[in-house]
Amino acid sequence: MTTKTLYNKTGRYICGASMPAETRQIQTWLSCTKHNKAFVPEDEKAKVESLILDQVKAQTAYPLFYPKAEEPWWQKITAMF
Amino acid sequence: MSRNFTPDKILIDQLLLNDTEAFEELYHRHCYPLYNYCNEKLNSPADARAIVRDIFIGLWEKRQTLPVDFSVSLHLYQEVRKAVVLCVNQKLEENKDLLSIQTQIIPGFAVVNLQQAKQPVRKSSSEIQYINSLTPGRVHKNHWWNYNPTGITTKVIKHMLQRAFNLL
């Protein structure tokens, strides 16, 4: 398959105009996941997560709600019961 | 890493109240698997990060209009698949990373490679041992449905039912 063919195929798939065989091929490719056994350390995972979360915070109004307002003392006590 | 055991549905309900903690919990649950999937498909950590970022931005911005029976995992699954195809298409349109597409993405569309998706997932013996070590009851068939402290068997129940019918 050439890059041009792939471009046409994905273009048709995005527009919803692809043939059933093409749809099946792309969906199978999307479902085909290698079982990656490579061990990724937790700190590396956390680094990636925090990097993306910072970008999410930067691009939304998310920081306006952050940190969450502290609950009043009477709500804390009622939550105990 | 997940920090609590609150179900996704409850966290989604909390999102309506602009609860950032609920959002972060959902984010930490699903972020890395999504990133890993995108990275595996596109062989580009930068693209993978951009896709995951856009998906979570979309989730946060649509939080007020999410349907009642909304499933986060299904939504993320659909969104990530759509985004991966869009990203490949965009790269081809801009003639970007053509070499990596030719060498790493296009071979994935070969029939031999696609057949892997149809094969059942087989766990290695070490994985099976690990699962059994987590749930020791699995090995000895000590399941809850085998728990029978009274000792009543199906044969006894059948006999008792038969007697009851006879009395009627």
Side-chain angles (χ1 to χ4, degrees):
Chain A
M1 195 197 289
T2 59
T3 49
K4 200 180 174 187
T5 317
L6 184 64
Y7 172 64
N8 292 335
K9 265 188 189 183
T10 50
R12 281 195 293 269
Y13 180 79
I14 291 161
C15 298
S18 59
M19 301 290 284
E22 285 175 350
T23 310
R24 216 176 303 134
Q25 189 186 21
I26 292 172
Q27 286 183 349
T28 315
W29 174 70
L30 289 168
S31 304
C32 192
T33 49
K34 288 172 246 160
H35 296 288
N36 196 359
K37 309 257 178 184
F39 175 74
V40 183
E42 283 299 323
D43 56 335
E44 202 173 306
K45 280 185 190 177
K47 208 187 278 178
V48 172
E49 284 180 6
S50 65
L51 194 69
I52 302 169
L53 188 61
D54 289 343
Q55 289 177 354
V56 172
K57 281 180 188 175
Q59 292 196 20
T60 54
Y62 185 97
L64 296 175
F65 305 104
Y66 193 86
K68 206 178 154 191
E70 205 179 323
E71 285 178 351
W73 61 268
W74 54 270
Q75 271 188 4
K76 281 182 191 171
I77 292 169
T78 49
M80 282 179 193
F81 300 101
Chain B
M1 178 61 80
S2 178
R3 294 169 299 166
N4 66 43
F5 295 102
T6 315
D8 282 358
K9 270 195 170 181
I10 293 171
L11 293 174
I12 285 295
D13 290 342
Q14 288 172 350
L15 273 188
L16 284 171
L17 308 168
N18 301 324
D19 189 341
T20 50
E21 277 177 25
F23 178 75
E24 282 190 21
E25 179 58 38
L26 281 172
Y27 172 81
H28 286 294
R29 278 183 196 179
H30 301 285
C31 172
Y32 198 78
L34 288 179
Y35 169 80
N36 201 22
Y37 175 80
C38 295
N39 197 16
E40 208 174 81
K41 287 284 161 211
L42 302 168
N43 293 301
S44 162
D47 286 328
R49 276 199 299 271
I51 288 173
V52 176
R53 182 197 63 208
D54 292 344
I55 288 172
F56 279 99
I57 288 173
L59 183 67
W60 175 255
E61 286 181 346
K62 283 184 215 154
R63 69 192 182 282
Q64 305 289 355
T65 54
L66 297 176
V68 178
D69 54 345
F70 181 76
S71 160
V72 192
S73 41
L74 183 65
H75 168 77
L76 296 175
Y77 173 77
Q78 287 171 341
E79 288 294 311
V80 78
R81 284 166 73 100
K82 222 185 290 172
V84 164
V85 178
L86 269 170
C87 184
V88 171
N89 187 263
Q90 208 173 349
K91 273 184 172 183
L92 289 167
E93 198 174 352
E94 293 166 1
N95 288 330
K96 229 171 84 182
D97 299 337
L98 285 181
L99 189 70
S100 79
I101 291 174
Q102 272 173 340
T103 54
Q104 289 165 327
I105 296 176
I106 289 177
F109 283 91
V111 179
V112 183
N113 292 326
L114 292 179
Q115 276 173 346
Q116 284 175 6
K118 291 172 185 169
Q119 286 169 358
V121 178
R122 284 186 185 165
K123 289 191 170 72
S124 66
S125 58
S126 60
E127 278 177 312
I128 292 166
Q129 271 179 1
Y130 174 69
I131 291 164
N132 286 338
S133 71
L134 290 175
T135 51
R138 277 172 84 102
V139 185
H140 308 295
K141 302 274 178 200
N142 191 16
H143 301 299
W144 62 268
W145 54 84
N146 289 338
Y147 181 68
N148 186 12
T150 51
I152 298 172
T153 59
T154 48
K155 210 174 179 181
V156 175
I157 294 167
K158 261 185 198 173
H159 181 69
M160 281 164 74
L161 281 171
Q162 216 166 16
R163 276 183 65 186
F165 277 121
N166 288 341
L167 281 170
L168 282 169

